[in-house]
Amino acid sequence: MTRLHRRRAIALATLPLLSLPSWAQTGASPSPPPADARASRADSGFMEQAAQNGHAEIEASRLAVQKASDPQVQRFAQTMVDEHTRLAEELATLARAKGVELPREASMLQRGRLKLLSTSQGDTFHRRYVEAFGIDAHEDTIKLFDKAAARADDPDVKAFASRGLPGLRRHLTMAKELPPPRGSASKGS
C-alpha cells in the first residue's frame, strides 16, 4: 500500500470518530447522573409505569384515529395521541436526568388489550376503546400520578406528576362525555 493510500485509509477510518461524543471515542460509557440526582426505587417505578401507560394510550389512540367510525371518537383519539406524546417527551427528559431507563412499549397486559382492540370493528371497537383506554386507563393513570404527586421522593418527579394531573383529569372527562356506540342504549352497555 502506498503512503498516500495509507493516509487516506487512516483518515477514512477516523472520520466516524469525529462525530461521536467524547465518551464514545474513549470507549467509556456516558457518566451517570450524580448520586443525588438519581431517582429512588419508588420514583423510578412511577416513571416506568407512566411510560408504559403512555405507550398504551398512544398506540390505542392511533388505532382509534384510523378505525373509529364516530368523528368525535376520532377527534378525542387524536387529542390523546398529541397530548400523551408531549407528556411522554417530558417524562423521557425527566427520566434521563434522573438516570432512569424507561420501557419502550406498553406492558405485556396492555399489549394484550391492544391486540384485542386491534381485532375489533365497528361498535365493539368504539366501546372497547372508550371503556379500556378512554376511561379505565385514565382512571388508573390518574391514581398513579396522584400518588406520585403526593409521595414522590424527588421534587422534580413530584412536580411532573402534579403538572400531568389536570390534563389526565380532562381526558377522563372527555372520554366519559363521548357518545355511546350507535348500537348501545346507554354508555354503560
Side-chain angles (χ1 to χ4, degrees), residues 87 90 145 159-169:
L87 191 62
E90 187 179 344
F145 274 64
F160 167 78
S162 295
R163 281 191 312 274
L165 278 166
L168 293 168
R169 288 185 177 123

Side-chain angles (χ1 to χ4, degrees), residues 86-104:
R86 279 193 294 274
L87 191 62
E89 290 166 356
E90 187 179 344
L91 176 60
T93 300
L94 174 64
R96 273 191 304 277
K98 302 301 176 182
V100 175
E101 187 170 332
L102 296 177
R104 296 176 188 240

Side-chain angles (χ1 to χ4, degrees), residues 147-161:
K147 184 178 176 184
R151 299 185 196 148
D153 298 316
D154 186 292
D156 295 333
V157 174
K158 192 177 276 198
F160 167 78

